Coordinates of all heavy atoms in Angstrom, one line a residue:
M174 N -13.5 -22.1 -20.6 CA -14.6 -22.6 -19.8 C -15.2 -21.5 -19.0 O -15.3 -21.6 -17.8 CB -14.0 -23.7 -18.9 CG -13.7 -25.0 -19.5 SD -15.1 -25.9 -20.2 CE -15.7 -26.7 -18.7
S175 N -15.6 -20.5 -19.7 CA -16.3 -19.5 -18.9 C -17.8 -19.4 -19.3 O -18.2 -19.6 -20.4 CB -15.7 -18.1 -19.2 OG -16.1 -17.6 -20.4
T176 N -18.6 -19.2 -18.3 CA -20.0 -19.1 -18.5 C -20.4 -17.7 -18.2 O -21.3 -17.3 -17.5 CB -20.8 -20.0 -17.5 OG1 -20.3 -19.8 -16.2 CG2 -20.6 -21.5 -17.9
T177 N -19.6 -16.7 -18.8 CA -19.8 -15.3 -18.5 C -21.1 -14.9 -19.0 O -21.5 -15.1 -20.2 CB -18.7 -14.5 -19.2 OG1 -17.4 -15.0 -18.9 CG2 -18.8 -13.1 -18.9
L178 N -21.9 -14.2 -18.2 CA -23.1 -13.7 -18.6 C -22.8 -12.3 -19.3 O -22.0 -11.5 -18.8 CB -24.0 -13.4 -17.4 CG -24.5 -14.6 -16.6 CD1 -25.1 -14.2 -15.3 CD2 -25.5 -15.4 -17.4
A179 N -23.4 -12.1 -20.4 CA -23.2 -10.8 -21.1 C -24.4 -10.0 -20.8 O -25.5 -10.2 -21.4 CB -23.0 -11.0 -22.6
P180 N -24.3 -9.1 -19.9 CA -25.5 -8.2 -19.6 C -25.8 -7.3 -20.7 O -24.9 -6.8 -21.4 CB -25.0 -7.4 -18.4 CG -23.6 -7.8 -18.1 CD -23.1 -8.6 -19.2
A181 N -27.1 -7.1 -20.9 CA -27.6 -6.2 -22.0 C -27.1 -4.8 -21.6 O -27.1 -4.4 -20.4 CB -29.1 -6.3 -22.1
A182 N -26.8 -4.0 -22.6 CA -26.3 -2.7 -22.4 C -27.5 -1.7 -22.1 O -27.8 -0.9 -22.9 CB -25.5 -2.2 -23.6
D183 N -28.2 -2.0 -21.0 CA -29.3 -1.1 -20.7 C -28.9 -0.1 -19.6 O -27.7 -0.1 -19.2 CB -30.5 -1.9 -20.3 CG -30.2 -2.8 -19.1 OD1 -29.2 -2.6 -18.4 OD2 -31.0 -3.8 -18.9
S184 N -29.8 0.7 -19.1 CA -29.4 1.7 -18.2 C -28.9 1.1 -16.8 O -28.1 1.7 -16.2 CB -30.6 2.6 -17.9 OG -31.7 1.9 -17.4
S185 N -29.5 0.0 -16.4 CA -29.0 -0.6 -15.2 C -27.6 -1.1 -15.3 O -26.8 -1.1 -14.3 CB -29.9 -1.8 -14.8 OG -29.8 -2.8 -15.6
T186 N -27.2 -1.5 -16.5 CA -25.8 -1.9 -16.7 C -24.9 -0.7 -16.6 O -23.8 -0.7 -15.9 CB -25.6 -2.5 -18.1 OG1 -26.5 -3.7 -18.2 CG2 -24.2 -3.0 -18.4
R187 N -25.3 0.4 -17.2 CA -24.5 1.6 -17.1 C -24.4 2.1 -15.7 O -23.4 2.6 -15.2 CB -25.2 2.7 -18.0 CG -24.4 4.0 -18.1 CD -23.1 3.7 -18.9 NE -22.2 4.8 -18.6 CZ -21.0 4.6 -18.1 NH1 -20.6 3.4 -17.8 NH2 -20.2 5.6 -17.8
D188 N -25.5 1.9 -15.0 CA -25.6 2.3 -13.6 C -24.6 1.5 -12.8 O -23.8 2.0 -11.9 CB -27.0 2.0 -13.1 CG -27.3 2.7 -11.8 OD1 -27.1 4.0 -11.7 OD2 -27.7 2.1 -10.8
L189 N -24.5 0.2 -13.0 CA -23.6 -0.7 -12.3 C -22.2 -0.3 -12.7 O -21.3 -0.2 -11.8 CB -23.9 -2.1 -12.8 CG -22.9 -3.2 -12.2 CD1 -23.1 -3.3 -10.7 CD2 -23.2 -4.5 -12.8
E190 N -21.9 0.0 -13.9 CA -20.5 0.4 -14.3 C -20.1 1.7 -13.6 O -19.0 1.8 -13.2 CB -20.5 0.7 -15.9 CG -20.5 -0.7 -16.7 CD -20.7 -0.4 -18.1 OE1 -20.6 0.8 -18.6 OE2 -20.9 -1.4 -18.9
Q191 N -21.0 2.6 -13.5 CA -20.7 3.9 -12.8 C -20.4 3.6 -11.3 O -19.5 4.2 -10.7 CB -21.8 4.9 -12.9 CG -21.8 5.5 -14.3 CD -22.8 6.6 -14.5 OE1 -23.7 6.8 -13.7 NE2 -22.7 7.4 -15.6
R192 N -21.2 2.7 -10.7 CA -20.9 2.4 -9.3 C -19.5 1.8 -9.1 O -18.8 2.1 -8.2 CB -22.0 1.5 -8.8 CG -23.3 2.2 -8.4 CD -24.3 1.2 -7.9 NE -24.0 0.7 -6.6 CZ -24.7 -0.2 -6.0 NH1 -25.7 -0.8 -6.6 NH2 -24.4 -0.6 -4.8
V193 N -19.2 0.9 -10.0 CA -18.0 0.2 -10.0 C -16.8 1.1 -10.2 O -15.8 1.1 -9.6 CB -18.0 -1.0 -11.1 CG1 -16.6 -1.5 -11.4 CG2 -18.9 -2.1 -10.7
E194 N -17.0 2.0 -11.2 CA -15.9 3.1 -11.4 C -15.7 3.9 -10.1 O -14.5 4.2 -9.8 CB -16.4 4.0 -12.5 CG -16.2 3.5 -13.9 CD -17.0 4.3 -14.9 OE1 -17.3 5.5 -14.6 OE2 -17.2 3.8 -16.0
L195 N -16.8 4.2 -9.5 CA -16.6 5.1 -8.3 C -15.9 4.3 -7.2 O -15.1 4.9 -6.5 CB -18.0 5.5 -7.9 CG -18.1 6.5 -6.7 CD1 -17.3 7.8 -7.1 CD2 -19.5 6.9 -6.4
I196 N -16.2 3.0 -7.0 CA -15.5 2.2 -6.0 C -14.1 2.2 -6.3 O -13.2 2.3 -5.5 CB -16.2 0.8 -5.9 CG1 -17.6 0.9 -5.4 CG2 -15.3 -0.1 -5.0 CD1 -18.4 -0.4 -5.6
A197 N -13.7 1.9 -7.6 CA -12.4 1.8 -8.0 C -11.6 3.1 -7.8 O -10.4 3.1 -7.4 CB -12.3 1.4 -9.5
C198 N -12.3 4.2 -8.0 CA -11.7 5.5 -7.9 C -11.5 5.8 -6.4 O -10.5 6.5 -6.0 CB -12.6 6.5 -8.5 SG -12.0 8.2 -8.6
G199 N -12.5 5.4 -5.6 CA -12.4 5.7 -4.2 C -13.6 6.4 -3.8 O -13.9 7.5 -4.2
T200 N -14.5 5.8 -2.9 CA -15.7 6.5 -2.5 C -15.4 7.4 -1.4 O -14.5 7.2 -0.5 CB -16.7 5.4 -2.0 OG1 -16.1 4.5 -1.1 CG2 -17.2 4.6 -3.2
R201 N -16.2 8.5 -1.4 CA -16.0 9.5 -0.4 C -17.4 10.2 -0.2 O -18.2 10.2 -1.2 CB -15.0 10.6 -0.8 CG -14.2 11.1 0.2 CD -13.3 12.3 -0.3 NE -12.4 11.8 -1.4 CZ -12.3 12.6 -2.5 NH1 -12.9 13.7 -2.7 NH2 -11.5 12.1 -3.5
A202 N -17.7 10.7 1.0 CA -18.9 11.3 1.2 C -19.1 12.5 0.2 O -18.2 13.3 0.0 CB -19.0 11.8 2.6
G203 N -20.2 12.5 -0.5 CA -20.6 13.6 -1.4 C -20.0 13.4 -2.7 O -20.4 14.1 -3.7
K204 N -19.2 12.3 -2.9 CA -18.6 12.1 -4.3 C -19.5 11.1 -5.0 O -19.9 10.1 -4.5 CB -17.2 11.4 -4.1 CG -16.5 11.2 -5.4 CD -15.1 10.7 -5.0 CE -14.4 10.1 -6.2 NZ -13.1 9.7 -5.9
T205 N -20.0 11.6 -6.2 CA -20.9 10.8 -6.9 C -20.4 10.3 -8.3 O -21.0 9.4 -8.9 CB -22.2 11.6 -7.2 OG1 -21.9 12.8 -7.9 CG2 -22.9 11.9 -5.9
R206 N -19.2 10.8 -8.7 CA -18.6 10.3 -10.0 C -17.2 10.0 -9.8 O -16.5 10.6 -9.0 CB -18.8 11.5 -11.0 CG -20.3 11.9 -11.2 CD -20.4 12.7 -12.4 NE -20.0 12.0 -13.6 CZ -20.4 12.4 -14.8 NH1 -21.0 13.5 -15.0 NH2 -20.0 11.7 -15.9
A207 N -16.7 9.1 -10.7 CA -15.3 8.8 -10.7 C -14.6 9.9 -11.4 O -15.2 10.7 -12.2 CB -15.1 7.5 -11.5
C208 N -13.3 10.0 -11.2 CA -12.5 11.0 -11.8 C -12.2 10.6 -13.2 O -12.5 9.5 -13.6 CB -11.1 11.2 -11.1 SG -10.0 9.8 -11.2
D209 N -11.6 11.5 -14.0 CA -11.3 11.2 -15.4 C -10.5 9.9 -15.6 O -10.7 9.2 -16.6 CB -10.6 12.4 -16.1 CG -11.5 13.6 -16.2 OD1 -12.8 13.4 -16.1 OD2 -11.0 14.7 -16.5
R210 N -9.6 9.7 -14.7 CA -8.7 8.6 -14.8 C -9.5 7.3 -14.8 O -9.1 6.3 -15.3 CB -7.6 8.7 -13.7 CG -6.3 8.0 -14.1 CD -5.2 8.5 -13.2 NE -5.4 8.0 -11.8 CZ -5.0 6.8 -11.4 NH1 -4.4 6.0 -12.2 NH2 -5.1 6.5 -10.1
H211 N -10.5 7.2 -13.9 CA -11.2 6.0 -13.7 C -12.5 5.9 -14.5 O -13.0 4.8 -14.7 CB -11.6 5.8 -12.2 CG -10.4 5.5 -11.4 ND1 -9.7 6.4 -10.6 CD2 -9.6 4.3 -11.3 CE1 -8.7 5.8 -10.1 NE2 -8.6 4.6 -10.4
R212 N -13.0 7.0 -15.0 CA -14.2 7.0 -15.7 C -14.0 6.3 -17.1 O -13.0 6.4 -17.7 CB -14.7 8.4 -16.1 CG -16.2 8.5 -16.2 CD -16.6 10.0 -16.4 NE -16.1 10.8 -15.3 CZ -16.0 12.1 -15.4 NH1 -16.3 12.7 -16.5 NH2 -15.6 12.8 -14.3
G213 N -15.0 5.4 -17.4 CA -14.9 4.6 -18.6 C -14.3 3.3 -18.4 O -14.3 2.4 -19.3
K214 N -13.8 3.1 -17.2 CA -13.2 1.7 -16.9 C -14.2 0.8 -16.3 O -13.8 -0.4 -16.2 CB -12.0 1.9 -16.0 CG -10.9 2.7 -16.7 CD -9.6 2.5 -15.9 CE -8.4 3.2 -16.7 NZ -7.2 3.2 -16.0
G215 N -15.3 1.3 -16.0 CA -16.3 0.4 -15.3 C -16.6 -0.8 -16.1 O -16.7 -1.9 -15.5
R216 N -16.8 -0.7 -17.4 CA -17.1 -1.9 -18.2 C -16.1 -3.0 -18.1 O -16.4 -4.2 -17.9 CB -17.3 -1.5 -19.6 CG -17.7 -2.6 -20.5 CD -18.1 -2.2 -21.9 NE -19.1 -1.1 -21.6 CZ -20.2 -1.0 -22.5 NH1 -20.3 -1.7 -23.5 NH2 -21.1 0.0 -22.2
G217 N -14.8 -2.6 -18.2 CA -13.8 -3.6 -18.0 C -13.7 -4.2 -16.6 O -13.6 -5.4 -16.5
F218 N -14.0 -3.4 -15.6 CA -14.0 -4.0 -14.2 C -15.2 -4.9 -14.1 O -15.0 -5.9 -13.5 CB -14.1 -2.8 -13.2 CG -12.9 -1.9 -13.1 CD1 -13.0 -0.6 -12.8 CD2 -11.6 -2.5 -13.4 CE1 -11.8 0.2 -12.7 CE2 -10.5 -1.7 -13.3 CZ -10.6 -0.3 -13.0
V219 N -16.3 -4.5 -14.6 CA -17.5 -5.4 -14.6 C -17.2 -6.7 -15.3 O -17.6 -7.8 -14.8 CB -18.8 -4.7 -15.1 CG1 -19.9 -5.7 -15.3 CG2 -19.2 -3.5 -14.2
N220 N -16.6 -6.6 -16.4 CA -16.3 -7.8 -17.2 C -15.4 -8.8 -16.3 O -15.6 -10.0 -16.3 CB -15.5 -7.5 -18.5 CG -16.5 -7.0 -19.5 OD1 -17.7 -7.3 -19.5 ND2 -16.0 -6.3 -20.5
I221 N -14.4 -8.3 -15.6 CA -13.6 -9.1 -14.8 C -14.4 -9.6 -13.6 O -14.3 -10.8 -13.3 CB -12.3 -8.3 -14.3 CG1 -11.5 -7.8 -15.5 CG2 -11.5 -9.2 -13.4 CD1 -10.4 -6.9 -15.1
A222 N -15.2 -8.8 -13.0 CA -16.0 -9.2 -11.9 C -16.9 -10.4 -12.3 O -17.2 -11.3 -11.5 CB -16.9 -8.0 -11.4
S223 N -17.4 -10.3 -13.5 CA -18.3 -11.4 -14.0 C -17.6 -12.8 -14.1 O -18.3 -13.8 -14.1 CB -18.9 -11.0 -15.4 OG -17.9 -11.1 -16.4
T224 N -16.3 -12.7 -14.1 CA -15.5 -14.0 -14.2 C -15.2 -14.5 -12.7 O -14.8 -15.7 -12.5 CB -14.2 -13.8 -14.9 OG1 -13.3 -13.0 -14.1 CG2 -14.4 -13.2 -16.3
G225 N -15.5 -13.6 -11.8 CA -15.2 -14.0 -10.4 C -13.8 -14.0 -10.0 O -13.4 -14.4 -8.9
A226 N -12.9 -13.4 -10.8 CA -11.5 -13.4 -10.5 C -11.1 -12.1 -9.7 O -10.8 -11.1 -10.3 CB -10.7 -13.4 -11.8
V227 N -11.3 -12.2 -8.4 CA -11.0 -11.1 -7.6 C -9.6 -10.6 -7.6 O -9.4 -9.4 -7.7 CB -11.4 -11.4 -6.1 CG1 -11.2 -10.2 -5.2 CG2 -12.8 -12.0 -5.9
D228 N -8.7 -11.5 -7.7 CA -7.3 -11.1 -7.8 C -7.0 -10.3 -9.1 O -6.2 -9.3 -9.0 CB -6.3 -12.3 -7.7 CG -6.2 -12.8 -6.3 OD1 -6.7 -12.2 -5.4 OD2 -5.8 -14.0 -6.2
A229 N -7.5 -10.8 -10.2 CA -7.3 -10.0 -11.4 C -8.0 -8.7 -11.4 O -7.5 -7.7 -11.9 CB -7.9 -10.9 -12.6
L230 N -9.1 -8.7 -10.7 CA -9.9 -7.4 -10.6 C -9.0 -6.4 -9.8 O -8.9 -5.2 -10.2 CB -11.3 -7.7 -10.0 CG -12.1 -6.4 -9.8 CD1 -12.4 -5.7 -11.2 CD2 -13.4 -6.9 -9.2
A231 N -8.5 -6.9 -8.7 CA -7.7 -6.0 -7.8 C -6.5 -5.5 -8.6 O -6.1 -4.3 -8.5 CB -7.3 -6.8 -6.6
A232 N -5.9 -6.3 -9.3 CA -4.7 -5.9 -10.1 C -5.0 -4.9 -11.2 O -4.3 -3.9 -11.4 CB -4.1 -7.1 -10.8
A233 N -6.2 -5.1 -11.8 CA -6.7 -4.1 -12.8 C -6.9 -2.7 -12.1 O -6.6 -1.7 -12.7 CB -7.9 -4.6 -13.5
I234 N -7.5 -2.7 -10.9 CA -7.8 -1.5 -10.2 C -6.5 -0.8 -9.8 O -6.3 0.3 -10.0 CB -8.7 -1.8 -9.0 CG1 -10.0 -2.3 -9.4 CG2 -8.8 -0.5 -8.2 CD1 -10.8 -2.9 -8.2
C235 N -5.6 -1.7 -9.4 CA -4.3 -1.1 -8.9 C -3.6 -0.5 -10.1 O -2.7 0.4 -9.9 CB -3.5 -2.3 -8.3 SG -2.3 -1.7 -7.1
G236 N -3.8 -1.0 -11.3 CA -3.2 -0.4 -12.5 C -2.0 -1.2 -13.0 O -1.4 -0.9 -14.0
T237 N -1.6 -2.2 -12.2 CA -0.4 -3.0 -12.6 C -0.8 -4.1 -13.6 O -0.1 -4.6 -14.4 CB 0.2 -3.7 -11.4 OG1 -0.7 -4.6 -10.8 CG2 0.7 -2.6 -10.4
G238 N -2.1 -4.6 -13.5 CA -2.6 -5.6 -14.4 C -2.1 -7.0 -13.9 O -2.4 -8.0 -14.5
R239 N -1.3 -7.1 -12.9 CA -0.9 -8.4 -12.4 C -0.9 -8.4 -10.9 O -0.6 -7.4 -10.2 CB 0.5 -8.7 -12.9 CG 1.6 -7.8 -12.5 CD 2.9 -8.3 -13.0 NE 3.1 -8.2 -14.4 CZ 4.1 -8.9 -15.1 NH1 4.9 -9.6 -14.4 NH2 4.1 -8.8 -16.4
S240 N -1.2 -9.6 -10.3 CA -1.2 -9.7 -8.8 C 0.1 -9.9 -8.3 O 1.0 -10.3 -9.0 CB -2.2 -10.8 -8.5 OG -1.9 -12.0 -9.2
P241 N 0.4 -9.6 -7.0 CA -0.6 -9.2 -6.1 C -0.8 -7.7 -6.1 O 0.1 -6.9 -6.3 CB 0.0 -9.6 -4.7 CG 1.5 -9.5 -5.0 CD 1.7 -9.9 -6.4
A242 N -2.1 -7.3 -6.0 CA -2.4 -5.9 -5.9 C -2.2 -5.5 -4.4 O -2.1 -6.3 -3.5 CB -3.9 -5.7 -6.3
C243 N -2.2 -4.2 -4.2 CA -2.1 -3.7 -2.9 C -3.4 -3.9 -2.1 O -4.4 -4.3 -2.6 CB -1.7 -2.2 -2.9 SG -3.1 -1.1 -3.4
R244 N -3.3 -3.8 -0.8 CA -4.3 -4.1 0.1 C -5.6 -3.2 -0.2 O -6.7 -3.7 -0.2 CB -3.9 -3.9 1.5 CG -4.7 -4.6 2.6 CD -3.9 -4.7 3.9 NE -4.9 -4.8 4.9 CZ -5.3 -3.9 5.7 NH1 -4.8 -2.7 5.6 NH2 -6.2 -4.0 6.6
D245 N -5.3 -2.0 -0.5 CA -6.4 -1.0 -0.8 C -7.2 -1.5 -2.0 O -8.4 -1.5 -1.9 CB -5.7 0.3 -1.1 CG -6.6 1.5 -1.0 OD1 -7.5 1.4 -0.1 OD2 -6.5 2.4 -1.7
C246 N -6.5 -1.9 -3.0 CA -7.2 -2.4 -4.2 C -7.9 -3.7 -4.1 O -8.9 -4.0 -4.7 CB -6.3 -2.4 -5.4 SG -5.7 -0.7 -5.8
K247 N -7.3 -4.6 -3.2 CA -8.0 -5.8 -2.9 C -9.4 -5.5 -2.3 O -10.4 -6.2 -2.6 CB -7.2 -6.7 -2.0 CG -6.1 -7.5 -2.8 CD -5.4 -8.4 -1.8 CE -4.3 -9.1 -2.6 NZ -3.3 -9.8 -1.7
G248 N -9.4 -4.6 -1.3 CA -10.6 -4.2 -0.7 C -11.6 -3.7 -1.7 O -12.8 -4.0 -1.6
K249 N -11.1 -2.8 -2.6 CA -12.0 -2.3 -3.6 C -12.6 -3.4 -4.5 O -13.7 -3.4 -4.9 CB -11.2 -1.3 -4.5 CG -10.9 0.0 -3.7 CD -10.1 0.9 -4.6 CE -9.8 2.2 -3.9 NZ -8.8 3.0 -4.7
A250 N -11.7 -4.4 -4.8 CA -12.1 -5.5 -5.7 C -13.3 -6.3 -5.0 O -14.2 -6.7 -5.6 CB -11.0 -6.4 -6.0
L251 N -13.1 -6.5 -3.7 CA -14.1 -7.2 -3.0 C -15.4 -6.5 -2.9 O -16.5 -7.1 -3.1 CB -13.6 -7.5 -1.5 CG -12.6 -8.6 -1.4 CD1 -12.1 -8.7 0.0 CD2 -13.1 -10.0 -1.8
E252 N -15.3 -5.2 -2.8 CA -16.5 -4.3 -2.7 C -17.2 -4.4 -4.1 O -18.5 -4.5 -4.2 CB -16.1 -2.9 -2.4 CG -17.2 -1.9 -2.4 CD -18.2 -2.1 -1.3 OE1 -18.0 -2.9 -0.4 OE2 -19.2 -1.3 -1.3
I253 N -16.4 -4.4 -5.2 CA -17.0 -4.4 -6.5 C -17.7 -5.8 -6.8 O -18.8 -5.8 -7.3 CB -15.9 -4.1 -7.6 CG1 -15.5 -2.7 -7.6 CG2 -16.4 -4.6 -9.0 CD1 -14.4 -2.3 -8.4
M254 N -17.1 -6.8 -6.3 CA -17.7 -8.2 -6.4 C -19.0 -8.2 -5.7 O -20.0 -8.7 -6.3 CB -16.8 -9.2 -5.8 CG -15.5 -9.5 -6.5 SD -15.6 -10.0 -8.2 CE -16.5 -11.5 -8.1
R255 N -19.1 -7.6 -4.6 CA -20.3 -7.5 -3.8 C -21.4 -6.8 -4.5 O -22.5 -7.3 -4.7 CB -20.0 -6.9 -2.4 CG -21.0 -7.2 -1.4 CD -20.7 -6.5 -0.1 NE -20.7 -5.1 -0.2 CZ -21.7 -4.3 -0.3 NH1 -22.9 -4.8 -0.2 NH2 -21.6 -3.0 -0.4
V256 N -21.0 -5.6 -5.0 CA -22.0 -4.8 -5.8 C -22.4 -5.5 -7.1 O -23.6 -5.5 -7.5 CB -21.3 -3.4 -6.1 CG1 -22.1 -2.7 -7.2 CG2 -21.2 -2.6 -4.9
Y257 N -21.4 -6.1 -7.7 CA -21.7 -6.8 -9.0 C -22.7 -8.0 -8.7 O -23.7 -8.1 -9.5 CB -20.4 -7.4 -9.6 CG -20.8 -8.3 -10.8 CD1 -21.0 -7.7 -12.1 CD2 -20.9 -9.6 -10.7 CE1 -21.4 -8.4 -13.2 CE2 -21.2 -10.4 -11.8 CZ -21.4 -9.8 -13.1 OH -21.8 -10.5 -14.2
N258 N -22.5 -8.7 -7.7 CA -23.4 -9.9 -7.4 C -24.8 -9.4 -7.0 O -25.8 -10.0 -7.3 CB -22.8 -10.7 -6.3 CG -21.6 -11.6 -6.8 OD1 -21.6 -12.0 -7.9 ND2 -20.6 -11.7 -6.0
E259 N -24.8 -8.3 -6.3 CA -26.1 -7.6 -6.0 C -26.8 -7.3 -7.3 O -28.0 -7.5 -7.5 CB -25.9 -6.3 -5.2 CG -26.2 -6.4 -3.8 CD -25.8 -5.1 -3.1 OE1 -25.8 -4.0 -3.8 OE2 -25.5 -5.1 -1.9
G260 N -26.1 -6.6 -8.2 CA -26.7 -6.1 -9.4 C -27.1 -7.2 -10.4 O -28.0 -7.1 -11.1
A261 N -26.4 -8.3 -10.3 CA -26.7 -9.5 -11.2 C -27.8 -10.3 -10.7 O -28.4 -11.1 -11.4 CB -25.4 -10.3 -11.4
A262 N -28.1 -10.2 -9.4 CA -29.1 -11.0 -8.8 C -30.6 -10.6 -9.2 O -30.8 -9.5 -9.6 CB -29.0 -10.9 -7.2
Ligands
ZN289 ZN1 -10.3 8.1 -10.0
ZN290 ZN1 -3.5 -0.7 -5.5

C-alpha cells in the first residue's frame, strides 16, 4: 500500500540525493560533499524518505538497518525528511 512517488532522474533529484548524503555523512561548515562511505547512498535514503518511515531511515543512516537508531542518526533522519519534503513540494 505505498503511494511512493518516483521522482524523475533529473538534476534536481541528483541535487537532493547529494544533500541527503551530506546530511547523513554529517554537515560541517565548509563541507560540501559526503565522504566516500556515504557517497552514492543518497538515492537509497531518498527512497526511504519517500515512504515517510523516519525510523527506517535513521536505522539505514546508522548502518544497522534496524531500529532503534542512535540519537544522532534520528536527528539526521528528521533533517533528511525535512529536506525531502521541501524538495518534493
Ligand atoms: Zn561520510
Ligand atoms: Zn547512528
Side-chain angles (χ1 to χ4, degrees):
M174 285 295 276
S175 76
T176 51
T177 307
L178 295 169
D183 55 19
S184 61
S185 67
T186 301
R187 187 67 201 117
D188 196 55
L189 177 66
E190 286 172 8
Q191 281 183 349
R192 281 180 72 189
V193 165
E194 282 168 17
L195 187 58
I196 293 166
C198 189
T200 50
R201 216 185 303 136
K204 183 173 167 182
T205 56
R206 302 193 63 164
C208 72
D209 288 347
R210 207 162 68 85
H211 288 102
R212 208 175 304 159
K214 295 199 172 170
R216 180 165 309 214
F218 293 151
V219 168
N220 280 339
I221 299 171
S223 72
T224 70
V227 184
D228 285 348
L230 182 58
I234 296 166
C235 209
T237 63
R239 60 174 70 193
S240 49
C243 71
R244 201 162 153 259
D245 199 32
C246 292
K247 278 185 184 167
K249 289 175 179 177
L251 286 173
E252 176 72 5
I253 287 172
M254 292 302 298
R255 199 180 60 76
V256 166
Y257 174 81
N258 287 325
E259 254 177 25

